[in-house]
């Protein structure tokens, strides 16, 4: 059985360079032939993987069986209420609840997403926010997976939905302090770029909503937020390398917004409020960011007071402000750090963490006048954990650790942090986890995961689903390659724009090191990545098709040049500072030199499974669809080339608590089946 895509050659000319794209026709999602082709690809995948259906079902039931069916989150306090979410056994979606005054009081259900999702193939809550008086809940919902939401407002006193319904928004919204005014962001209907902020007054028509801000620069996105103090509403315009924040006193929702620091090229900053000052996390004269305060009445640079200076070896990632303490989220040597600093007196200190590779960070802390910090922690062997930490007594209290059913014990697993040497001599960190009984004799299968874009750091995290691989003898490794910020801002800058190929060569070096160090061998090495990590997978298997025996690419960004030339596609214009603008021939040529779709050659490609979503607004479905068709045309072997497109979902895959694990089960069955073959 073979799916053969028809070819309709289309000539694409840029900078005098001619490219022929035989699959350009696949971009029309309204074309019945496109849908028929996607269905045929799905049928092929199902047929080829039919012999693994029992394994897929077993994996799915395993993954589902590790999850506590009636789990709940740790309640957080906001004024006189405790808010939390919980799941009911046998249901896919969360129930949002609260209790007044203390946790012994009766539960009030404020939103049951299972009711919203009833009878719908997809349902996602984009955001929710409670009014200052705790009477009104505004929430946004998407029923397609394209991240186009509708706002609804619920009166929590009566339990009724108000007539206020705001369609086609981004899901981002905040309340003003009057409990009547809602600010929200709206996107361009074609590119889906968030470009406008509106003000809505409860009880009035959406047609009467006032546009309070428009972002006309097509490389910027805009969102609305509120200071922790709740005194100020912020409009944040941001591109890859620049920010501009405007503010408004939340007690005066019909007032005008004022700019804090006008946008400048390559000046990134974020803002919070404390007392008589704004606090700015800024990269002004600080590659790894520094913290300054600025008077509310005159926040310009000449009035800044430095609180935390720049450090070449520490990336300052975030702050949390309390009445008596400042808490910093930092990153050093690729690992998270939490730093506690009293506003008055001496005695700053860091929290300590036990594992060689872990993920830790400040959690949601809406209360200002408290000495208790809530933080989260997990590692490759430790399930997600939530702690309260008394910053005065330094007592750490574990509130909840994700309960993993089925006899899980962290003692059965081992983690390591090692380094691979890139081709330019750079040491690249790799985090590994494996079952204690898995031999490190060079014969175990190993899955190497990577991302390496946008400055996103790939922290070592715990995955209940991953246990299904580890328990079957797989070693799992995360390559902390350049393009992320794992080792600071320079680590990011050395893996973007005209240095993007460092990301790919770093990953290849990590794969080679896994073999050289005796963790695995040729024929047992696999790779995986999603979105920009799918670009990574595509580029790597073009550069070194011999290195990996199998690969999984989820919603992969692989048609780089054509996408970046099309300003009508979502995300394109906002990403020029990440990849470059192909209108400039220098960047066009460089992108063309690594774009996975454009660099498919006559090679013996590894086995490949691609996961896609028809309604994906970030990586359009046609990119992976075109890619696999071209791979079939050029590959010189008969390895599996499979595409599974979720026809009811977008970039994040299936919605619901358990359904998303069906795609994970397919991916793992693909890997396990290949690993079981003698190569």
């Amino acid at each position: 059985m073979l799916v053969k895509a028809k070819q309709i050659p289309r000539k694409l000319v840029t900078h005098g360079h001619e490219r022929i794209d035989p699959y350009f026709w696949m971009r029309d999602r309204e074309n019945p032939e496109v849908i028929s082709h996607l269905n045929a690809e799905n049928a092929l995948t199902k047929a080829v993987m039919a012999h693994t259906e029992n394994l897929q079902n077993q994996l799915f039931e395993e993954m589902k069986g590790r999850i506590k069916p009636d789990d709940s989150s740790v309640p957080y306090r906001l004024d006189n209420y405790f808010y939390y979410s919980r799941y009911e056994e046998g249901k896919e979606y969360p129930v949002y609840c609260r209790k007044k005054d203390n946790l012994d009081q009766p539960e009030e259900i404020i939103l049951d997403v299972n009711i919203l999702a009833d009878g719908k193939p997809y349902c996602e809550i984009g955001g929710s926010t409670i009014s200052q008086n705790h009477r009104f809940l505004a929430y946004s919902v998407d029923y397609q997976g394209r991240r186009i939401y509708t706002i609804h407002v619920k009166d929590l006193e009566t339990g009724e939905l108000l007539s206020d319904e705001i369609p086609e928004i981004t899901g981002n919204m905040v309340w003003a302090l009057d409990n009547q005014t809602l600010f929200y962001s709206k996107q361009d209907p074609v590119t889906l770029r968030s470009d406008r902020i509106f003000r809505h007054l409860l009880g009035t028509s959406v047609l009467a909503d006032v546009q309070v801000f428009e972002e006309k620069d097509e490389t910027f996105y805009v969102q609305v937020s509120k200071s922790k103090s709740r005194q100020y509403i912020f409009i944040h315009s941001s591109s890859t390398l620049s920010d501009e924040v405007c503010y408004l006193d939340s007690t005066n929702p019909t007032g005008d917004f004022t700019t804090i620091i006008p946008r400048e090229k390559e000046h990134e900053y974020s803002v919070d409020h404390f007392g008589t000052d704004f606090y700015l996390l800024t990269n002004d004269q600080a590659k790894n960011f520094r913290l300054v305060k600025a008077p509310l009445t005159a926040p310009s640079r000449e009035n800044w007071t430095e609180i935390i200076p720049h450090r070449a070896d520490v990336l300052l990632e975030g702050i949390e402000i309390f009445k008596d303490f400042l808490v910093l989220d930092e990153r050093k040597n690729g690992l998270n750090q939490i730093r506690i600093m009293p506003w008055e007196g001496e005695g700053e200190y860091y929290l300590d963490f036990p594992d060689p590779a872990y993920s830790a960070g400040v959690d949601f802390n809406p209360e200002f006048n408290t000495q208790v910090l809530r933080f989260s922690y997990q590692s490759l062997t430790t399930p997600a954990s939530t702690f309260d930490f008394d910053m005065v007594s330094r007592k750490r209290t574990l509130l909840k650790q994700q309960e993993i059913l089925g006899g899980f014990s962290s003692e059965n697993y081992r983690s390591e942090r090692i380094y691979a040497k890139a081709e330019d001599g750079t040491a690249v960190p790799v985090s590994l986890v494996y079952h204690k009984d898995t031999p490190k004799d060079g014969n175990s299968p190993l899955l190497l995961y990577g991302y390496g874009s946008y400055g996103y750091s790939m922290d070592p995290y715990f995955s209940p689903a991953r246990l299904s691989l580890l328990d079957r003898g797989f070693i799992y490794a995360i390559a902390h390659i350049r393009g992320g910020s794992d080792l600071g801002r320079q680590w990011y800058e050395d893996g973007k724009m005209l240095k993007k190929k460092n990301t790919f060569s770093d990953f290849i070096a990590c794969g080679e090191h896994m073999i050289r160090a005796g963790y695995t061998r040729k024929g047992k090495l696999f790779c995986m990545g999603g979105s920009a990590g799918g670009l990574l997978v595509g580029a790597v298997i073009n550069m070194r098709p011999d290195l990996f025996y199998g690969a999984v690419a989820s919603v992969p960004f692989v048609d780089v040049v054509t996408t970046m030339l099309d300003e009508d596609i979502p995300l394109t214009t906002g990403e020029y500072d990440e990849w470059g603008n192909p209108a400039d021939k220098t960047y066009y040529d460089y992108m063309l030199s690594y774009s996975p779709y454009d660099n498919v050659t006559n090679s013996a490609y590894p086995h490949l499974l691609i996961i896609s979503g028809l309604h994906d607004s970030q990586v359009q479905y046609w990119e992976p669809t075109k890619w696999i068709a071209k791979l079939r045309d050029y590959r010189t072997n008969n390895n599996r080339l499979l595409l599974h497109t979720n026809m009811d979902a977008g970039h994040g895959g299936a919605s619901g608590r358990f359904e998303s694990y069906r795609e994970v089960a397919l991916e793992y069955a693909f890997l396990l089946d290949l690993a079981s073959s003698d190569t």
Side-chain angles (χ1 to χ4, degrees), residues 248-263:
L248 173 70
D249 190 321
S250 191
T251 63
N252 181 29
T254 59
D256 295 325
F257 282 84
T258 303
T259 301
I260 296 178
I261 302 293
R263 68 188 64 183

Side-chain angles (χ1 to χ4, degrees), residues 448-487:
L448 185 65
Y449 182 87
Y451 187 75
S453 291
Y454 303 107
Y456 294 161
S457 300
M458 287 306 304
D459 292 323
Y461 64 97
F462 184 85
S463 167
R466 188 193 298 141
L467 298 175
S468 291
L469 280 184
L470 304 185
D471 291 348
R472 289 173 170 83
F474 257 84
I475 299 172
Y476 183 89
I478 300 173
H480 304 283
I481 49 185
R482 283 175 284 186
S485 293
D486 304 70
L487 294 182

Side-chain angles (χ1 to χ4, degrees), residues 12 14-15 19 21 24 27 218-219 221 240 454 497 500 532 535 557-584 587-592 594-598 618-620 622-623 626:
L12 305 173
T14 311
H15 301 298
R19 291 180 296 135
D21 188 350
F24 197 86
R27 293 162 60 99
E218 293 183 348
T219 67
Y221 293 77
T240 304
Y454 303 107
M497 302 288 275
K500 187 63 204 170
L535 161 66
F557 172 44
V558 287
D559 192 11
V560 179
V561 176
T562 306
T563 292
M564 292 303 296
L565 283 167
D566 190 344
E567 296 183 1
D568 289 335
I569 294 177
L571 301 185
T572 294
T573 57
E575 305 222 335
Y576 290 153
D577 288 331
E578 180 70 26
W579 315 104
N581 186 342
D584 182 327
Y587 291 103
Y588 171 83
D589 290 342
Y590 190 75
M591 275 187 250
L592 190 61
Y594 68 75
S595 172
Y597 179 67
D598 292 290
Q618 292 176 260
V619 177
Q620 306 297 319
W622 59 74
E623 292 199 37
K626 290 167 53 179

Side-chain angles (χ1 to χ4, degrees), residues 110-325:
I110 60 177
L111 184 66
D112 186 341
V113 185
N114 296 286
I115 295 174
L116 300 181
D118 186 36
K120 298 177 176 65
Y122 184 94
C123 179
E124 181 193 8
I125 299 296
S128 62
T129 180
I130 294 283
S131 61
Q132 177 74 10
N133 62 2
H134 297 266
R135 176 173 176 176
F136 299 109
L137 170 70
Y139 65 91
S140 59
V141 62
D142 169 24
Y143 291 118
Q144 188 181 51
R146 198 154 172 79
R147 299 186 180 179
I148 301 174
Y149 299 88
T150 297
I151 291 177
H152 300 275
V153 180
K154 183 177 180 180
D155 186 334
L156 298 179
E157 286 189 2
T158 66
E160 296 179 352
L161 280 180
L162 303 185
S163 59
D164 305 76
E165 184 176 299
I166 309 173
E168 298 181 344
I169 60 101
T170 68
N172 167 231
M173 61 214 161
V174 298
W175 289 98
L177 287 177
D178 65 352
N179 304 301
Q180 294 292 306
T181 304
L182 195 64
F183 291 89
Y184 62 91
S185 57
K186 199 170 179 66
Q187 65 273 73
D188 180 280
V190 176
T191 67
L192 302 185
R193 178 178 70 92
S194 176
D195 63 348
R196 289 158 291 161
I197 303 295
F198 285 82
R199 184 180 69 233
H200 174 77
L201 184 64
L202 286 190
T204 65
S205 169
V206 172
L207 299 177
D209 287 359
V210 177
Q211 179 177 299
V212 299
F213 184 88
E214 181 178 10
E215 180 51 74
K216 296 183 179 180
D217 188 328
E218 293 183 348
T219 67
F220 279 73
Y221 293 77
V222 64
Q223 64 178 355
V224 61
S225 62
K226 193 153 53 175
S227 64
K228 181 175 179 177
S229 66
R230 295 180 248 176
Q231 186 172 335
Y232 292 99
I233 292 172
F234 297 129
I235 293 177
H236 193 154
S237 289
S238 61
S239 68
T240 304
L241 294 177
S242 300
D243 294 290
E244 182 177 79
V245 181
C246 305
Y247 71 97
L248 173 70
D249 190 321
S250 191
T251 63
N252 181 29
T254 59
D256 295 325
F257 282 84
T258 303
T259 301
I260 296 178
I261 302 293
R263 68 188 64 183
E264 300 171 10
K265 185 174 177 58
E266 298 188 3
H267 181 212
E268 299 173 65
Y269 72 98
S270 57
V271 183
D272 208 341
H273 163 246
F274 176 38
T276 59
D277 298 290
F278 287 128
Y279 282 72
L280 281 70
L281 196 63
T282 172
N283 72 344
D284 178 71
Q285 302 180 59
K287 185 180 291 290
N288 281 334
F289 290 84
R290 60 185 175 125
L291 180 66
V292 301
K293 69 176 182 178
L296 297 174
T297 54
S300 56
R301 275 186 180 85
E302 59 268 21
N303 299 316
W304 287 3
T305 300
E306 188 169 78
I307 306 299
I308 304 295
H310 173 260
R311 292 151 293 168
D313 62 339
V314 177
L315 177 63
L316 181 55
E317 295 189 313
I319 66 170
E320 189 72 45
I321 296 174
F322 297 91
K323 177 177 177 292
D324 297 318
F325 293 91

Side-chain angles (χ1 to χ4, degrees), residues 400-413:
K400 177 184 174 63
Q401 184 173 91
Q402 182 182 13
E403 186 175 349
I404 310 300
L405 305 182
F408 166 79
S409 172
S410 61
E411 297 300 317
N412 290 330
Y413 304 90

Side-chain angles (χ1 to χ4, degrees), residues 482-554:
R482 283 175 284 186
S485 293
D486 304 70
L487 294 182
R489 185 68 176 197
Q490 190 63 50
W491 200 250
Y492 168 43
E493 293 184 2
D494 286 344
K496 66 193 287 279
M497 302 288 275
L498 297 177
K499 296 181 179 180
K500 187 63 204 170
K501 289 183 183 179
N502 283 338
T503 302
F504 314 136
S505 60
D506 282 1
F507 193 77
I508 289 170
C510 291
E512 291 174 332
H513 184 82
M514 295 300 101
I515 295 172
R516 192 165 52 248
Y519 288 97
T520 190
R521 62 174 172 83
K522 279 284 190 74
K524 293 292 186 181
L525 179 61
F526 302 85
C527 66
M528 176 183 284
S531 195
L535 161 66
L536 168 70
V537 169
V540 163
I541 65 173
N542 279 337
M543 295 166 68
R544 286 292 306 277
D546 62 304
L547 182 58
F548 298 95
Y549 184 60
V552 177
S554 182

